[in-house]
Amino acid sequence: MDDDNNADLVSNTSEQSLPPTPPNPEPPTTISPSHPQPQPPKQPLIGLGLVLLSLLALSFENVVVHIIFNPSSVIGVSVPVGGFIVPTLSNSLLILWLRMLVVVPLIAILGTYFYPAVWRDIGQNLQSKNWRLFANLFCSGFVLFLSKVLIFLALGLIAPGVAVTIFFLYPIILLLLSDRFTGSKNFLIFSSIMVGFVLSTLPSSSNEDISRLGIMAAAGSGIAFALHLMLMQTSAKKLHPIPILWINLAIVLVLSALSLVLPWSGLWNLNIEPTHLPSLMISGLVLGGATLLSYLFNYIGIAKIGAAKASVVGATLPGLTSVLALILIQSTLQIPQILGIVFVTLGVAALSFQPPHHSPKRN
C-alpha cells in the first residue's frame, strides 16, 4: 500500500466527516502495505448507501449531543427528553469521556477484524523509537480532542445543523494550508463556503441571537479538525490507518479523563443531579454506538465507491443533520441559515471535484 493510499483512508476514517480532495481516490484494500492485493470490484449503489448510513449515524450523534444539553420534545412527544446537563466546557468533557469509554475498546475489536496486524504494527513502532512519529501522533490526537470538545459545546449552544455547517470551515482551512489555493475556481469555492458561514450565523427572526460562544466553538472545532487531518496524513506515511485511528482515539480518551480532574474544568464544576447519572451513562452508550456504526459503514462504503465519490456525499452532512434534527426534535432553521447550509454544501462538494493533489514522494 503506497503512502497516498494510506493518507487517503486515514482522512476518511476520521472523527467527523469525509474531507474533500483526497490525495488518491482509491482506498487501500490490503492487509499489509508490503503485500498489495488486487482491489475488489466497486459496488457503487451499496457503497453509496453505506456512506449515507455513516453520515446518518453521525447526524444522529450530533442531535443526541444537543438533546443531552437541551430539553427537547423528541418526535413530538409532549414530555421533554434531555437537558441532563448545561452546555459548559466541563460537561462537554464529561460527554466526550463517556463516549470514548465505549468507542475505544470497540474500535480496538473492530480494527483487529479489518486489520489483524494492528497490534503488531503498534508494537513495532513503539520499539522503533521514532520520536517524530510519536510527536505527530500525539499532536494529531490532541487537536482531535480539542475539536470534539468544542463541537460538543457548540452542539449544546446552537442548533445541530448550524453547528455542523460552521464546523465545515475545515475544508477551507485545508485548502488555505495547501499549495492549491489558486485560480478563479478555488476562489469561488472559498467564497461559497464563507457566504454560507455568514448566512448560517445570522440571528434568527426571534428575539434571541445565536450564541456567539457556540459560533466560536464550532469554528474552532473546524480549525482543529483540519489540523488533525493534516497530521494524520503525515502519520499515514509510516503507519497503517487503523492503528493511527485507534491511537488517536485512545489519546482523546486519556486527555478527556485527565481534563476532568483539572481544577478549572474538573468534576467539581459539573453540577450533575444524581437522578440524571443513569441517563448520562445511557447517552454515552448511544453516542459510542452511533460512532461505531459511522466508522463501520464509512470504512466499508469507501472501499466500494472510492474516497473521491464518498467525499462528495460527505458534503451533505450539514443538511442531513438539519433534516434529522427537524424530524427528531423539531429544530427549525430560518431561511438565511438554510441558504447557508446550501452554500456550504455546494462549496464543499465542488472542492471534492478538484483534481487529486499528490504530495512529493519520500526518498
Side-chain angles (χ1 to χ4, degrees), residues 11-19 45-62 99 110 164 168 287-303 305 310-311 313-318 320-321 324:
S11 298
N12 291 285
T13 51
S14 295
E15 274 281 286
Q16 188 59 283
S17 181
L18 302 162
L45 291 179
I46 296 177
L48 177 62
L50 289 171
V51 172
L52 284 173
L53 286 174
S54 171
L55 294 173
L56 283 173
L58 197 53
S59 299
F60 178 74
E61 178 185 343
N62 293 331
R99 171 183 179 266
L110 188 64
V164 176
F168 259 58
L287 292 175
T291 301
L292 183 69
L293 290 176
S294 179
Y295 284 144
L296 179 62
F297 292 144
N298 188 43
Y299 190 94
I300 301 175
I302 290 173
I305 65 172
S311 295
V313 181
T316 64
L317 182 63
L320 286 175
T321 301
L324 196 62

Side-chain angles (χ1 to χ4, degrees), residues 196-253:
F197 168 78
V198 173
L199 288 174
S200 63
T201 58
L202 291 178
S204 63
S205 59
S206 64
N207 295 326
E208 296 182 0
D209 292 339
I210 185 172
S211 168
R212 293 183 180 180
L213 178 59
I215 295 173
M216 291 188 293
S221 176
I223 295 171
F225 188 68
L227 297 175
H228 163 70
L229 290 181
M230 294 183 64
L231 290 167
M232 283 193 79
Q233 291 189 3
T234 302
S235 300
K237 299 176 181 179
K238 298 290 185 181
L239 193 60
H240 189 276
I242 290 181
I244 294 174
L245 176 63
W246 185 84
I247 291 171
N248 274 264
L249 296 178
I251 290 172
V252 173
L253 172 62

Side-chain angles (χ1 to χ4, degrees), residues 18-238:
L18 302 162
T21 59
N24 190 311
E26 299 299 326
T29 57
T30 65
I31 289 182
S32 174
S34 59
H35 296 87
Q37 301 291 331
Q39 291 194 0
K42 294 290 186 293
Q43 297 174 297
L45 291 179
I46 296 177
L48 177 62
L50 289 171
V51 172
L52 284 173
L53 286 174
S54 171
L55 294 173
L56 283 173
L58 197 53
S59 299
F60 178 74
E61 178 185 343
N62 293 331
V63 175
V64 170
V65 172
H66 183 82
I67 293 173
I68 292 172
F69 289 121
N70 300 274
S72 306
S73 176
V74 179
I75 319 181
V77 177
S78 58
V79 179
V81 177
F84 309 125
I85 48 180
V86 296
T88 64
L89 177 62
S90 301
N91 290 335
S92 297
L93 286 167
L94 174 65
I95 296 301
L96 178 60
W97 177 66
L98 291 173
R99 171 183 179 266
M100 300 313 297
L101 283 176
V102 178
V103 171
V104 170
L106 291 180
I107 290 296
I109 297 171
L110 188 64
T112 302
Y113 174 79
F114 282 104
Y115 183 61
V118 57
W119 304 115
R120 182 202 66 188
D121 285 6
I122 292 176
Q124 288 178 350
N125 280 273
L126 287 174
Q127 294 177 0
S128 70
K129 296 182 179 180
N130 186 337
W131 301 113
R132 178 175 296 182
L133 175 62
F134 296 164
N136 191 85
L137 288 170
F138 176 79
C139 291
S140 175
F142 174 78
V143 291
L144 177 60
F145 160 74
L146 183 62
S147 177
K148 295 308 296 182
V149 171
L150 291 175
I151 194 61
F152 279 14
L153 179 60
L155 288 167
L157 292 170
I158 57 182
V162 174
V164 176
T165 302
I166 297 171
F167 167 84
F168 259 58
L169 283 174
Y170 81 85
I172 286 298
I173 304 301
L174 288 173
L175 185 63
L176 291 173
L177 294 177
S178 72
D179 57 359
R180 295 181 296 116
F181 190 60
T182 57
S184 58
K185 181 181 293 186
N186 281 333
F187 178 77
L188 289 175
I189 292 172
F190 176 84
S191 300
S192 176
I193 295 178
M194 293 308 299
V195 168
F197 168 78
V198 173
L199 288 174
S200 63
T201 58
L202 291 178
S204 63
S205 59
S206 64
N207 295 326
E208 296 182 0
D209 292 339
I210 185 172
S211 168
R212 293 183 180 180
L213 178 59
I215 295 173
M216 291 188 293
S221 176
I223 295 171
F225 188 68
L227 297 175
H228 163 70
L229 290 181
M230 294 183 64
L231 290 167
M232 283 193 79
Q233 291 189 3
T234 302
S235 300
K237 299 176 181 179
K238 298 290 185 181

